């Protein structure tokens, strides 16, 4: 749908909407989410609200603005011309609100307060959480809010101060740092291999049982279809989950073959890497808003995270693939168990 400006409608002839007296920013925020998601249902899922709650807030917002913002029909939800004008005004309100928050943050005590870090569930659970004690020992007055989820957080919209992604964010007004690369492999437990054997090729995998994690940033469905073209999921999968930890421990206990990063050898579940080439590396990106990066406590967190993924120190994040069996030769730091917070990996 073309905007009024794009269609050449003069400013004085465009519909008038009342946004000067808005008092309910929460309803405006929900309105923006519906516009950005393209539907009430998608916005409700992203906001963790019921679809009826979203509809009620949009009705409230339409009463405040005195205009109809959306039309609803069998084809879905469409933004009206009046609604397009409101989008522009509300986005300016959003930007101004974020500027106020960042200005307030920058005047606070440099090394105290809260830093919100959004990260994928697996990296947050198995890599960052066990090691954040290092950061907190150095900066004891900084509260770290570690939000682990497979939905990518948007730092430009203040969903987090710092976010870590498994694909390059598309937002143009954020700072990006490429941290390293995650190399995915097929794994199975000793229990599973002793009972079913270890496949050595993609063709042999079809005869086995798979346990996979399906989540937004992993593109698991597309990966499955490209690796097993024409094979229905139900013919191979015995379990699928959206949570990395549940996926990991199901495989570690013999439920089936799973896909995990190369560092899975250090997580404590006695998994064995399979010699089946997957070739699905994922680049790890860090994003933050330029304004947030000038806040001292956020800057310290950014610097710590960059070092936490330093490929020169941690070979599992290198550009090139390093086999888990080579970690002992490549890695010269403290025992892996202490890094990952897993169980003892001695005598493996």
């Amino acid at each position: 749908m073309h905007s009024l400006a794009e269609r050449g409608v003069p400013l004085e002839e465009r519909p008038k909407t009342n946004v000067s007296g808005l008092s309910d920013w929460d309803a405006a925020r929900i309105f923006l989410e519906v516009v950005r998601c393209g539907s009430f249902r998608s916005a409700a899922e992203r906001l963790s609200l019921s679809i009826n709650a979203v509809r009620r807030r949009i009705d409230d917002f339409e009463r405040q603005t005195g205009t109809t913002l959306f039309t609803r029909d069998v084809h879905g939800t469409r933004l009206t011309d009046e609604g397009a004008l409101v989008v522009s005004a509300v986005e300016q309100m959003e930007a101004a609100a974020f500027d106020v928050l960042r200005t307030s943050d920058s005047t606070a005590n440099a090394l105290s307060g809260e830093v919100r870090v959004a990260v994928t569930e697996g990296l947050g659970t198995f890599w960052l959480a066990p090691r954040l004690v290092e950061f907190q020992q150095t900066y004891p007055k900084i509260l770290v809010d570690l939000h682990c989820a497979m939905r990518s957080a948007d730092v430009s919209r203040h969903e987090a101060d710092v976010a870590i992604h498994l694909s390059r964010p598309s937002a143009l007004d954020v700072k990006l740092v490429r941290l390293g690369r995650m190399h995915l492999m097929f794994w199975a437990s000793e229990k599973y291999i002793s009972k079913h054997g270890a496949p050595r090729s993609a063709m042999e995998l079809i005869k086995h049982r798979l346990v996979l994690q399906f989540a937004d940033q992993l593109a698991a469905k597309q990966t499955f279809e490209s690796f097993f073209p024409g094979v229905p999921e139900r013919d191979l999968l015995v379990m699928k989950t959206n949570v990395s930890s549940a996926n990991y421990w199901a495989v570690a206990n013999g439920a089936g073959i799973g896909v995990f990063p190369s560092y899975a050898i250090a997580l404590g579940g006695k998994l064995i890497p399979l010699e089946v080439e997957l070739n699905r590396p994922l680049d790890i990106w860090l994003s933050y808003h330029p304004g947030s990066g000038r806040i001292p406590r956020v800057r310290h967190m950014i610097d710590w995270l960059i070092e936490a993924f330093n490929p020169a120190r941690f070979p599992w994040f290198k550009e090139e693939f390093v086999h888990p069996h080579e970690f002992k030769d490549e890695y010269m730091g403290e025992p892996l168990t202490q890094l990952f917070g897993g169980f003892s990996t001695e005598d493996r």
Side-chain angles (χ1 to χ4, degrees), residues 16-300:
K16 298 296 189 294
T17 56
N18 177 26
V19 294
S20 60
L22 289 181
S23 59
D24 188 351
W25 165 243
D26 192 51
R29 179 179 64 88
I30 292 173
F31 164 70
L32 272 186
E33 200 65 55
V34 173
V35 172
R36 288 163 174 166
C37 291
S39 73
F40 282 73
R41 186 172 302 280
S42 295
E45 291 175 357
R46 188 175 178 91
L47 294 167
S48 298
L49 295 173
S50 70
I51 190 169
N52 288 333
V54 170
R55 286 188 175 121
R56 284 196 300 271
R57 298 316 302 274
I58 295 301
D59 289 343
D60 292 342
F61 195 57
E62 287 183 328
R63 282 192 289 271
Q64 288 185 54
T65 59
T67 189
T68 299
L69 302 173
F70 297 103
T71 59
R72 292 89 153 176
D73 55 33
V74 293
H75 302 292
T77 301
R78 296 178 183 274
L79 193 65
T80 64
D81 288 340
E82 294 84 353
L85 291 176
V86 176
V87 169
S88 177
V90 174
E91 284 180 335
Q92 293 178 41
M93 293 169 58
E94 180 186 52
F98 291 167
D99 285 342
V100 169
L101 287 172
R102 293 185 187 107
T103 301
S104 175
D105 280 346
S106 65
T107 60
N109 189 325
L111 297 180
S112 67
E114 183 174 329
V115 179
R116 292 172 297 162
V117 179
V119 63
T120 57
E121 189 260 339
L123 282 173
T125 300
F126 293 120
W127 181 239
L128 288 185
R131 304 189 62 242
L132 271 171
V133 63
E134 300 174 5
F135 182 86
Q136 294 185 316
Q137 285 175 344
T138 306
Y139 307 106
K141 293 185 179 180
I142 295 179
L143 169 64
V144 179
D145 179 0
L146 186 66
H147 184 74
C148 301
M150 290 308 297
R151 180 183 68 81
S152 188
D154 188 345
V155 295
S156 68
R157 295 169 57 193
H158 216 64
E159 293 180 349
D161 297 308
V162 186
I164 295 173
H165 320 260
L166 295 181
S167 60
R168 182 180 180 129
S170 58
L172 300 177
D173 55 345
V174 301
K175 294 288 189 179
L176 295 177
V177 180
R178 187 172 177 274
L179 297 175
R181 175 166 283 189
M182 179 188 294
H183 298 272
L184 300 180
M185 305 178 64
F186 286 106
W187 298 77
S189 68
E190 295 175 352
K191 182 189 299 185
Y192 179 89
I193 292 175
S194 65
K195 184 175 182 180
H196 301 282
R200 297 187 176 276
S201 69
M203 290 300 296
E204 291 185 18
L205 269 177
I206 296 178
K207 304 174 185 177
H208 285 264
R209 303 155 61 88
L210 298 185
V211 177
L212 294 181
Q213 179 189 5
F214 283 74
D216 291 348
Q217 292 201 55
L218 292 178
K221 184 174 180 63
Q222 296 90 325
T223 300
F224 180 92
E225 291 173 350
S226 65
F227 204 81
F228 303 106
V231 179
E233 289 180 13
R234 63 178 178 274
D235 289 352
L236 283 179
L237 296 185
V238 294
M239 176 180 172
K240 59 182 179 180
T241 177
N242 65 328
V243 181
S244 303
S245 50
N247 187 38
Y248 178 83
W249 289 113
V251 174
N253 282 283
I257 293 172
V259 175
F260 303 108
S262 56
Y263 61 66
I265 199 169
L267 298 183
K270 293 190 176 181
L271 289 185
I272 297 174
L274 302 178
E275 302 307 318
V276 179
E277 185 177 357
L278 179 58
N279 193 26
R280 287 291 190 278
L282 296 172
D283 288 339
I284 307 170
W285 292 89
L286 178 147
S287 70
Y288 62 95
H289 190 280
S292 297
R294 292 191 291 270
I295 301 171
R297 65 175 180 273
V298 178
R299 184 71 251 177
H300 283 295

Side-chain angles (χ1 to χ4, degrees), residues 328-342:
K328 289 183 179 180
D329 298 326
E330 293 272 345
Y331 173 67
M332 302 301 173
E334 60 186 302
L336 293 180
T337 303
Q338 291 176 253
L339 281 180
F340 286 93

